[in-house]
Amino acid sequence: MLKFKNPERIATLETPFWYYDMDLFRRTVDAMVEASRKYGITVHYSIKANTEKRLVEIIKDRGIGIDCVSGNEVKWSIVNGVEPAGIVFAGVGKSDAEIVYAMKVGIGSFNCESLEELEIIESLAAKEGMRANVSLRINPEVDAKTHKFITTGLEMDKFGIPRRFIQKAIDILRKCPHLTFKGLHFHIGSQITDVENVFANECRSAKAIIDIFEQEGIMVENVDLGGGLGIDYHNPDSHAIPEFDLWFRTLRENLPLRLGQHLHVEPGRSVVGQCVSLISRVILVKEGEKKNFVILDTGMNDLLRPALYGAYHKIENLDGKGRELRLYDIAGPICESADVLAEDRVLPETRRGDLIAIRSTGAYGSVMSSSYNMRTPAYSVFSD
Ligand code: LLP
C-alpha cells in the first residue's frame, strides 16, 4: 500500500495529482549507477518516459546521459544542464530543423534509422560545414515478447535499418565525408520481463551484426542496446527497484566486447516507473446493470496506458482500511467507453470522496497525458 511521507498535508490537496516518491527515485538511480559501474556500462536515461525537471536534474547531477526522440527533448536536456556529448537522438522521422539544432549543440550521436536519413544528415552537415556523429540503428529482428504496440525489433516494425540494407549503409558511410561513424544502436521493445532470454537474444543478434562491420574493417566503438527492462506492475512495493544488476550482467555475459568497445543502454521505464502514483478521489460509486463502477476524478486523459494497451496498474483505496471487499470496475469521467482504468478489481467497499492511488505511473504517464474533454491535467507533488 502506498505510504505518504506527509499524509496530513496530502489530505488537503486538490486531486488529481502525480505523487513523486523522491526518496525511491534517488535509491533507484543509485542502484542503477552502482550496477552500471560494476559492469562498465554507460547509461542514457530515456527521457520520453518522464520529462519532469526535478528528475532530469538528479539524472544530470549523477552524470547520466540522455536518450532523446525529438528536438524538444534534446533542448530540454540542454536547458537542464545535461552535457551534449552524453545525448543520443533516435527516431524514424527527425525534421531538418531538429537535425541542424542537435548537430550545432554537439550531441554524442544521431541514432539513424534509415538509409534515407543518413543521406539527409550528410547533406545538412555539408550545408552547415559541420560533421555529424552518427550511429546506425539496425533492426535486430528479435522478439521482445511484450505488447505488440511496444515491440520495435521485428521485421514488420517501422524502426531501424533493415538488416538486408547493412551493406548499403556501410557504402553510404564510406562516401559521406560529413558523417563520423560512432557505433551501432538496437532497441527491441519495452516492458521486457523475460530478461535473461530476451536480452541474450538481442546480444546474439547484435554480435552477428557487429561482425559484419568488423569484416568490412570498420571498428564499432559504441554498442547501444537500448532500453526495455520491465517493472513489476503487480507488486510495486515488494519490487520497487528493478533488476538492473541482472539486466547488465545478462548483457555483459552475452556480448563479448573488444578492447576500446563501449556498451550503452537507454532505460526509461525502469528508472522512474515505480516512483510515481496517480492520486485521485472517488466522485461517486455507481451501481450499473452488470457491474459496479468507481468513478474517479482522473481518467484516460491523465493516464492513457490502460485504454491504449490494456495495461495493468495496481489500484489502492487509501481510505478503505477494515472495510469489506467488493468487486468494481474503476473508470474515469471522460466521454469514451475506453476510459476504464481497471476491470474487475477487488477493493475495500469504496465511497464518495475516498482517496485512490493508481500505482507505477511514473513512466509514460504524465508525458502521454492530454487535456481531452478540456480537463485540467494532473499536477506534480513531490514527497520532499
Ligand atoms: N530507447 C528507445 C530507442 C526507445 O524507443 C525506448 C522506448 C527506450 C529506449 C526506453 O525504453 P524503456 O526502458 O522505457 O522500456 N508508451 C509505452 C512505452 C513506449 C516505449 C517507447 N520507446 C508504454 O506506456 O508502455
Side-chain angles (χ1 to χ4, degrees), residues 157-195:
D157 295 319
K158 70 174 178 176
F159 297 100
I161 297 173
R163 284 179 77 143
R164 68 192 173 96
F165 291 149
I166 289 176
Q167 192 56 52
K168 276 195 172 161
I170 292 174
D171 295 344
I172 292 175
L173 283 175
R174 286 206 166 109
K175 68 175 175 51
C176 289
H178 300 90
L179 303 183
T180 304
F181 177 66
K182 298 300 282 185
L184 295 176
H185 175 231
F186 308 91
H187 172 75
I188 55 175
S190 199
Q191 185 53 19
I192 293 166
T193 49
D194 186 1
V195 175

mmCIF file of all heavy atoms in Angstrom, residues 157-195:
data_model
loop_
_atom_site.group_PDB
_atom_site.id
_atom_site.type_symbol
_atom_site.label_atom_id
_atom_site.label_comp_id
_atom_site.label_asym_id
_atom_site.label_seq_id
_atom_site.Cartn_x
_atom_site.Cartn_y
_atom_site.Cartn_z
ATOM 1 N N ASP A 157 8.195 -3.952 -38.015
ATOM 2 C CA ASP A 157 8.187 -2.670 -37.309
ATOM 3 C C ASP A 157 8.860 -1.568 -38.131
ATOM 4 O O ASP A 157 9.740 -1.837 -38.941
ATOM 5 C CB ASP A 157 8.882 -2.818 -35.954
ATOM 6 C CG ASP A 157 8.115 -3.763 -35.029
ATOM 7 O OD1 ASP A 157 6.868 -3.670 -35.028
ATOM 8 O OD2 ASP A 157 8.734 -4.591 -34.353
ATOM 9 N N LYS A 158 8.446 -0.341 -37.874
ATOM 10 C CA LYS A 158 8.969 0.785 -38.669
ATOM 11 C C LYS A 158 10.366 1.227 -38.242
ATOM 12 O O LYS A 158 10.992 2.047 -38.901
ATOM 13 C CB LYS A 158 8.007 1.979 -38.579
ATOM 14 C CG LYS A 158 7.970 2.641 -37.204
ATOM 15 C CD LYS A 158 7.120 3.923 -37.204
ATOM 16 C CE LYS A 158 7.065 4.529 -35.812
ATOM 17 N NZ LYS A 158 6.354 5.804 -35.763
ATOM 18 N N PHE A 159 10.850 0.679 -37.116
ATOM 19 C CA PHE A 159 12.096 1.194 -36.531
ATOM 20 C C PHE A 159 13.354 0.539 -37.115
ATOM 21 O O PHE A 159 13.342 -0.638 -37.469
ATOM 22 C CB PHE A 159 12.085 0.991 -35.008
ATOM 23 C CG PHE A 159 10.989 1.754 -34.346
ATOM 24 C CD1 PHE A 159 9.815 1.129 -33.974
ATOM 25 C CD2 PHE A 159 11.118 3.112 -34.119
ATOM 26 C CE1 PHE A 159 8.781 1.839 -33.377
ATOM 27 C CE2 PHE A 159 10.097 3.835 -33.521
ATOM 28 C CZ PHE A 159 8.926 3.188 -33.148
ATOM 29 N N GLY A 160 14.413 1.317 -37.168
ATOM 30 C CA GLY A 160 15.730 0.780 -37.501
ATOM 31 C C GLY A 160 15.937 0.478 -38.975
ATOM 32 O O GLY A 160 14.996 0.414 -39.770
ATOM 33 N N ILE A 161 17.215 0.319 -39.316
ATOM 34 C CA ILE A 161 17.584 -0.025 -40.689
ATOM 35 C C ILE A 161 17.439 -1.538 -40.843
ATOM 36 O O ILE A 161 17.969 -2.293 -40.023
ATOM 37 C CB ILE A 161 19.053 0.408 -40.958
ATOM 38 C CG1 ILE A 161 19.167 1.938 -40.839
ATOM 39 C CG2 ILE A 161 19.539 -0.093 -42.312
ATOM 40 C CD1 ILE A 161 20.583 2.476 -40.911
ATOM 41 N N PRO A 162 16.705 -1.983 -41.864
ATOM 42 C CA PRO A 162 16.546 -3.426 -42.050
ATOM 43 C C PRO A 162 17.913 -4.099 -42.246
ATOM 44 O O PRO A 162 18.801 -3.523 -42.867
ATOM 45 C CB PRO A 162 15.717 -3.535 -43.332
ATOM 46 C CG PRO A 162 15.051 -2.208 -43.487
ATOM 47 C CD PRO A 162 15.972 -1.205 -42.870
ATOM 48 N N ARG A 163 18.042 -5.292 -41.719
ATOM 49 C CA ARG A 163 19.336 -5.990 -41.783
ATOM 50 C C ARG A 163 19.858 -6.106 -43.208
ATOM 51 O O ARG A 163 21.053 -6.012 -43.445
ATOM 52 C CB ARG A 163 19.200 -7.391 -41.181
ATOM 53 C CG ARG A 163 19.152 -7.361 -39.679
ATOM 54 C CD ARG A 163 19.000 -8.751 -39.127
ATOM 55 N NE ARG A 163 20.276 -9.455 -39.189
ATOM 56 C CZ ARG A 163 20.693 -10.295 -38.243
ATOM 57 N NH1 ARG A 163 19.960 -10.540 -37.192
ATOM 58 N NH2 ARG A 163 21.842 -10.899 -38.350
ATOM 59 N N ARG A 164 18.932 -6.301 -44.177
ATOM 60 C CA ARG A 164 19.413 -6.527 -45.548
ATOM 61 C C ARG A 164 20.034 -5.270 -46.159
ATOM 62 O O ARG A 164 20.649 -5.338 -47.215
ATOM 63 C CB ARG A 164 18.297 -7.087 -46.427
ATOM 64 C CG ARG A 164 17.162 -6.128 -46.704
ATOM 65 C CD ARG A 164 15.988 -6.884 -47.317
ATOM 66 N NE ARG A 164 14.836 -5.994 -47.421
ATOM 67 C CZ ARG A 164 14.516 -5.338 -48.512
ATOM 68 N NH1 ARG A 164 15.224 -5.473 -49.611
ATOM 69 N NH2 ARG A 164 13.457 -4.549 -48.518
ATOM 70 N N PHE A 165 19.875 -4.118 -45.493
ATOM 71 C CA PHE A 165 20.475 -2.879 -46.023
ATOM 72 C C PHE A 165 21.789 -2.507 -45.325
ATOM 73 O O PHE A 165 22.302 -1.407 -45.533
ATOM 74 C CB PHE A 165 19.499 -1.708 -45.902
ATOM 75 C CG PHE A 165 18.303 -1.808 -46.824
ATOM 76 C CD1 PHE A 165 17.082 -1.265 -46.446
ATOM 77 C CD2 PHE A 165 18.401 -2.438 -48.055
ATOM 78 C CE1 PHE A 165 15.973 -1.354 -47.283
ATOM 79 C CE2 PHE A 165 17.298 -2.538 -48.903
ATOM 80 C CZ PHE A 165 16.082 -2.000 -48.521
ATOM 81 N N ILE A 166 22.316 -3.407 -44.498
ATOM 82 C CA ILE A 166 23.535 -3.069 -43.754
ATOM 83 C C ILE A 166 24.683 -2.719 -44.710
ATOM 84 O O ILE A 166 25.373 -1.712 -44.535
ATOM 85 C CB ILE A 166 23.940 -4.224 -42.805
ATOM 86 C CG1 ILE A 166 22.923 -4.302 -41.646
ATOM 87 C CG2 ILE A 166 25.358 -4.012 -42.249
ATOM 88 C CD1 ILE A 166 23.147 -5.450 -40.687
ATOM 89 N N GLN A 167 24.857 -3.527 -45.744
ATOM 90 C CA GLN A 167 25.955 -3.272 -46.685
ATOM 91 C C GLN A 167 25.773 -1.911 -47.355
ATOM 92 O O GLN A 167 26.725 -1.140 -47.503
ATOM 93 C CB GLN A 167 26.018 -4.398 -47.728
ATOM 94 C CG GLN A 167 27.285 -4.375 -48.574
ATOM 95 C CD GLN A 167 28.566 -4.431 -47.722
ATOM 96 O OE1 GLN A 167 28.720 -5.315 -46.871
ATOM 97 N NE2 GLN A 167 29.476 -3.467 -47.908
ATOM 98 N N LYS A 168 24.530 -1.619 -47.711
ATOM 99 C CA LYS A 168 24.259 -0.308 -48.337
ATOM 100 C C LYS A 168 24.599 0.828 -47.380
ATOM 101 O O LYS A 168 25.125 1.862 -47.790
ATOM 102 C CB LYS A 168 22.780 -0.210 -48.730
ATOM 103 C CG LYS A 168 22.463 -0.841 -50.065
ATOM 104 C CD LYS A 168 21.092 -0.392 -50.550
ATOM 105 C CE LYS A 168 20.893 -0.878 -51.964
ATOM 106 N NZ LYS A 168 19.484 -0.879 -52.354
ATOM 107 N N ALA A 169 24.256 0.639 -46.094
ATOM 108 C CA ALA A 169 24.544 1.685 -45.104
ATOM 109 C C ALA A 169 26.053 1.904 -45.013
ATOM 110 O O ALA A 169 26.521 3.050 -44.929
ATOM 111 C CB ALA A 169 23.968 1.286 -43.741
ATOM 112 N N ILE A 170 26.810 0.823 -45.044
ATOM 113 C CA ILE A 170 28.276 0.933 -44.980
ATOM 114 C C ILE A 170 28.795 1.705 -46.205
ATOM 115 O O ILE A 170 29.639 2.600 -46.085
ATOM 116 C CB ILE A 170 28.919 -0.477 -44.891
ATOM 117 C CG1 ILE A 170 28.571 -1.102 -43.525
ATOM 118 C CG2 ILE A 170 30.431 -0.408 -45.105
ATOM 119 C CD1 ILE A 170 29.011 -2.552 -43.353
ATOM 120 N N ASP A 171 28.231 1.383 -47.363
ATOM 121 C CA ASP A 171 28.647 2.087 -48.592
ATOM 122 C C ASP A 171 28.365 3.589 -48.481
ATOM 123 O O ASP A 171 29.180 4.415 -48.863
ATOM 124 C CB ASP A 171 27.914 1.521 -49.820
ATOM 125 C CG ASP A 171 28.300 0.061 -50.078
ATOM 126 O OD1 ASP A 171 29.330 -0.377 -49.519
ATOM 127 O OD2 ASP A 171 27.547 -0.628 -50.804
ATOM 128 N N ILE A 172 27.196 3.931 -47.925
ATOM 129 C CA ILE A 172 26.843 5.360 -47.777
ATOM 130 C C ILE A 172 27.821 6.040 -46.820
ATOM 131 O O ILE A 172 28.345 7.117 -47.106
ATOM 132 C CB ILE A 172 25.378 5.522 -47.284
ATOM 133 C CG1 ILE A 172 24.407 5.054 -48.383
ATOM 134 C CG2 ILE A 172 25.077 6.970 -46.892
ATOM 135 C CD1 ILE A 172 22.950 5.047 -47.976
ATOM 136 N N LEU A 173 28.089 5.374 -45.673
ATOM 137 C CA LEU A 173 29.030 5.966 -44.697
ATOM 138 C C LEU A 173 30.378 6.258 -45.353
ATOM 139 O O LEU A 173 30.993 7.292 -45.097
ATOM 140 C CB LEU A 173 29.243 5.002 -43.523
ATOM 141 C CG LEU A 173 28.133 4.920 -42.482
ATOM 142 C CD1 LEU A 173 28.450 3.831 -41.460
ATOM 143 C CD2 LEU A 173 27.953 6.264 -41.766
ATOM 144 N N ARG A 174 30.815 5.341 -46.228
ATOM 145 C CA ARG A 174 32.147 5.497 -46.852
ATOM 146 C C ARG A 174 32.201 6.704 -47.783
ATOM 147 O O ARG A 174 33.257 7.300 -47.969
ATOM 148 C CB ARG A 174 32.501 4.231 -47.635
ATOM 149 C CG ARG A 174 32.868 3.075 -46.709
ATOM 150 C CD ARG A 174 33.804 2.089 -47.405
ATOM 151 N NE ARG A 174 34.389 1.187 -46.426
ATOM 152 C CZ ARG A 174 34.064 -0.111 -46.326
ATOM 153 N NH1 ARG A 174 33.195 -0.656 -47.165
ATOM 154 N NH2 ARG A 174 34.642 -0.860 -45.401
ATOM 155 N N LYS A 175 31.042 7.039 -48.366
ATOM 156 C CA LYS A 175 31.097 8.161 -49.310
ATOM 157 C C LYS A 175 30.545 9.470 -48.725
ATOM 158 O O LYS A 175 30.311 10.416 -49.458
ATOM 159 C CB LYS A 175 30.401 7.783 -50.631
ATOM 160 C CG LYS A 175 28.912 7.591 -50.556
ATOM 161 C CD LYS A 175 28.367 7.357 -51.959
ATOM 162 C CE LYS A 175 26.905 7.034 -52.042
ATOM 163 N NZ LYS A 175 25.917 7.789 -51.440
ATOM 164 N N CYS A 176 30.344 9.493 -47.392
ATOM 165 C CA CYS A 176 29.817 10.726 -46.780
ATOM 166 C C CYS A 176 30.868 11.370 -45.878
ATOM 167 O O CYS A 176 31.045 10.962 -44.723
ATOM 168 C CB CYS A 176 28.563 10.416 -45.967
ATOM 169 S SG CYS A 176 27.156 10.020 -47.002
ATOM 170 N N PRO A 177 31.561 12.396 -46.377
ATOM 171 C CA PRO A 177 32.662 12.989 -45.612
ATOM 172 C C PRO A 177 32.219 13.753 -44.362
ATOM 173 O O PRO A 177 33.042 14.056 -43.506
ATOM 174 C CB PRO A 177 33.298 13.954 -46.625
ATOM 175 C CG PRO A 177 32.226 14.244 -47.625
ATOM 176 C CD PRO A 177 31.380 13.018 -47.699
ATOM 177 N N HIS A 178 30.923 14.068 -44.257
ATOM 178 C CA HIS A 178 30.476 14.862 -43.108
ATOM 179 C C HIS A 178 29.889 14.015 -41.987
ATOM 180 O O HIS A 178 29.347 14.544 -41.034
ATOM 181 C CB HIS A 178 29.474 15.932 -43.561
ATOM 182 C CG HIS A 178 30.064 16.869 -44.564
ATOM 183 N ND1 HIS A 178 29.999 16.621 -45.913
ATOM 184 C CD2 HIS A 178 30.763 18.002 -44.416
ATOM 185 C CE1 HIS A 178 30.623 17.594 -46.561
ATOM 186 N NE2 HIS A 178 31.106 18.438 -45.670
ATOM 187 N N LEU A 179 29.964 12.696 -42.141
ATOM 188 C CA LEU A 179 29.438 11.814 -41.091
ATOM 189 C C LEU A 179 30.588 11.108 -40.379
ATOM 190 O O LEU A 179 31.489 10.574 -41.028
ATOM 191 C CB LEU A 179 28.502 10.758 -41.695
ATOM 192 C CG LEU A 179 27.298 11.267 -42.508
ATOM 193 C CD1 LEU A 179 26.429 10.093 -42.964
ATOM 194 C CD2 LEU A 179 26.459 12.256 -41.693
ATOM 195 N N THR A 180 30.545 11.119 -39.048
ATOM 196 C CA THR A 180 31.522 10.354 -38.261
ATOM 197 C C THR A 180 30.792 9.160 -37.660
ATOM 198 O O THR A 180 29.837 9.340 -36.889
ATOM 199 C CB THR A 180 32.097 11.220 -37.112
ATOM 200 O OG1 THR A 180 32.647 12.405 -37.688
ATOM 201 C CG2 THR A 180 33.176 10.473 -36.347
ATOM 202 N N PHE A 181 31.222 7.970 -38.027
ATOM 203 C CA PHE A 181 30.549 6.758 -37.541
ATOM 204 C C PHE A 181 30.932 6.488 -36.083
ATOM 205 O O PHE A 181 32.099 6.348 -35.756
ATOM 206 C CB PHE A 181 30.940 5.571 -38.427
ATOM 207 C CG PHE A 181 30.348 4.264 -37.970
ATOM 208 C CD1 PHE A 181 28.980 4.043 -38.013
ATOM 209 C CD2 PHE A 181 31.171 3.236 -37.491
ATOM 210 C CE1 PHE A 181 28.431 2.842 -37.584
ATOM 211 C CE2 PHE A 181 30.636 2.029 -37.063
ATOM 212 C CZ PHE A 181 29.255 1.836 -37.116
ATOM 213 N N LYS A 182 29.898 6.436 -35.216
ATOM 214 C CA LYS A 182 30.171 6.251 -33.785
ATOM 215 C C LYS A 182 29.871 4.831 -33.299
ATOM 216 O O LYS A 182 30.396 4.409 -32.280
ATOM 217 C CB LYS A 182 29.328 7.230 -32.952
ATOM 218 C CG LYS A 182 29.610 8.701 -33.212
ATOM 219 C CD LYS A 182 31.035 9.092 -32.931
ATOM 220 C CE LYS A 182 31.311 9.273 -31.459
ATOM 221 N NZ LYS A 182 32.682 9.781 -31.228
ATOM 222 N N GLY A 183 28.945 4.153 -33.965
ATOM 223 C CA GLY A 183 28.649 2.799 -33.494
ATOM 224 C C GLY A 183 27.288 2.292 -33.939
ATOM 225 O O GLY A 183 26.683 2.821 -34.877
ATOM 226 N N LEU A 184 26.819 1.265 -33.223
ATOM 227 C CA LEU A 184 25.546 0.630 -33.586
ATOM 228 C C LEU A 184 24.545 0.774 -32.447
ATOM 229 O O LEU A 184 24.913 0.817 -31.265
ATOM 230 C CB LEU A 184 25.771 -0.856 -33.880
ATOM 231 C CG LEU A 184 26.639 -1.147 -35.100
ATOM 232 C CD1 LEU A 184 26.873 -2.641 -35.243
ATOM 233 C CD2 LEU A 184 25.985 -0.598 -36.374
ATOM 234 N N HIS A 185 23.286 0.824 -32.837
ATOM 235 C CA HIS A 185 22.206 1.006 -31.870
ATOM 236 C C HIS A 185 21.107 -0.014 -32.141
ATOM 237 O O HIS A 185 20.801 -0.324 -33.295
ATOM 238 C CB HIS A 185 21.644 2.436 -32.017
ATOM 239 C CG HIS A 185 20.455 2.722 -31.164
ATOM 240 N ND1 HIS A 185 19.292 3.257 -31.670
ATOM 241 C CD2 HIS A 185 20.233 2.541 -29.841
ATOM 242 C CE1 HIS A 185 18.417 3.407 -30.683
ATOM 243 N NE2 HIS A 185 18.959 2.986 -29.574
ATOM 244 N N PHE A 186 20.560 -0.537 -31.049
ATOM 245 C CA PHE A 186 19.452 -1.504 -31.136
ATOM 246 C C PHE A 186 18.444 -1.166 -30.038
ATOM 247 O O PHE A 186 18.814 -0.647 -28.991
ATOM 248 C CB PHE A 186 19.959 -2.937 -30.889
ATOM 249 C CG PHE A 186 21.139 -3.316 -31.743
ATOM 250 C CD1 PHE A 186 22.437 -3.116 -31.290
ATOM 251 C CD2 PHE A 186 20.952 -3.864 -33.000
ATOM 252 C CE1 PHE A 186 23.532 -3.455 -32.072
ATOM 253 C CE2 PHE A 186 22.037 -4.202 -33.796
ATOM 254 C CZ PHE A 186 23.333 -4.002 -33.329
ATOM 255 N N HIS A 187 17.199 -1.464 -30.283
ATOM 256 C CA HIS A 187 16.196 -1.367 -29.205
ATOM 257 C C HIS A 187 15.043 -2.263 -29.644
ATOM 258 O O HIS A 187 14.457 -2.049 -30.700
ATOM 259 C CB HIS A 187 15.707 0.075 -29.013
ATOM 260 C CG HIS A 187 14.560 0.187 -28.052
ATOM 261 N ND1 HIS A 187 14.726 0.067 -26.684
ATOM 262 C CD2 HIS A 187 13.239 0.366 -28.256
ATOM 263 C CE1 HIS A 187 13.544 0.192 -26.096
ATOM 264 N NE2 HIS A 187 12.626 0.366 -27.024
ATOM 265 N N ILE A 188 14.746 -3.272 -28.839
ATOM 266 C CA ILE A 188 13.793 -4.285 -29.317
ATOM 267 C C ILE A 188 12.397 -4.119 -28.737
ATOM 268 O O ILE A 188 11.454 -4.730 -29.230
ATOM 269 C CB ILE A 188 14.301 -5.718 -29.029
ATOM 270 C CG1 ILE A 188 14.624 -5.893 -27.539
ATOM 271 C CG2 ILE A 188 15.521 -6.014 -29.888
ATOM 272 C CD1 ILE A 188 15.021 -7.320 -27.182
ATOM 273 N N GLY A 189 12.240 -3.291 -27.714
ATOM 274 C CA GLY A 189 10.901 -3.118 -27.160
ATOM 275 C C GLY A 189 10.970 -2.754 -25.700
ATOM 276 O O GLY A 189 12.057 -2.566 -25.137
ATOM 277 N N SER A 190 9.802 -2.647 -25.097
ATOM 278 C CA SER A 190 9.698 -2.116 -23.744
ATOM 279 C C SER A 190 8.936 -3.094 -22.851
ATOM 280 O O SER A 190 8.229 -3.972 -23.345
ATOM 281 C CB SER A 190 8.955 -0.786 -23.844
ATOM 282 O OG SER A 190 9.166 -0.005 -22.708
ATOM 283 N N GLN A 191 9.074 -2.889 -21.525
ATOM 284 C CA GLN A 191 8.412 -3.763 -20.542
ATOM 285 C C GLN A 191 8.763 -5.235 -20.804
ATOM 286 O O GLN A 191 7.889 -6.107 -20.914
ATOM 287 C CB GLN A 191 6.887 -3.518 -20.514
ATOM 288 C CG GLN A 191 6.080 -4.282 -19.450
ATOM 289 C CD GLN A 191 6.626 -4.106 -18.023
ATOM 290 O OE1 GLN A 191 7.370 -3.193 -17.733
ATOM 291 N NE2 GLN A 191 6.277 -5.003 -17.137
ATOM 292 N N ILE A 192 10.066 -5.496 -20.896
ATOM 293 C CA ILE A 192 10.566 -6.859 -21.102
ATOM 294 C C ILE A 192 10.760 -7.497 -19.730
ATOM 295 O O ILE A 192 11.472 -6.966 -18.874
ATOM 296 C CB ILE A 192 11.886 -6.821 -21.899
ATOM 297 C CG1 ILE A 192 11.583 -6.324 -23.318
ATOM 298 C CG2 ILE A 192 12.567 -8.185 -21.909
ATOM 299 C CD1 ILE A 192 12.801 -5.916 -24.111
ATOM 300 N N THR A 193 10.094 -8.629 -19.520
ATOM 301 C CA THR A 193 10.172 -9.264 -18.202
ATOM 302 C C THR A 193 10.980 -10.566 -18.250
ATOM 303 O O THR A 193 11.493 -11.010 -17.235
ATOM 304 C CB THR A 193 8.759 -9.543 -17.656
ATOM 305 O OG1 THR A 193 8.012 -10.195 -18.681
ATOM 306 C CG2 THR A 193 8.050 -8.254 -17.275
ATOM 307 N N ASP A 194 11.085 -11.167 -19.429
ATOM 308 C CA ASP A 194 11.905 -12.373 -19.565
ATOM 309 C C ASP A 194 13.343 -11.914 -19.837
ATOM 310 O O ASP A 194 13.897 -12.122 -20.921
ATOM 311 C CB ASP A 194 11.360 -13.226 -20.717
ATOM 312 C CG ASP A 194 12.075 -14.561 -20.818
ATOM 313 O OD1 ASP A 194 12.964 -14.829 -19.989
ATOM 314 O OD2 ASP A 194 11.750 -15.325 -21.748
ATOM 315 N N VAL A 195 13.940 -11.284 -18.826
ATOM 316 C CA VAL A 195 15.191 -10.540 -19.009
ATOM 317 C C VAL A 195 16.306 -11.414 -19.586
ATOM 318 O O VAL A 195 16.923 -11.074 -20.603
ATOM 319 C CB VAL A 195 15.643 -9.923 -17.658
ATOM 320 C CG1 VAL A 195 16.989 -9.237 -17.771
ATOM 321 C CG2 VAL A 195 14.581 -8.928 -17.190
#
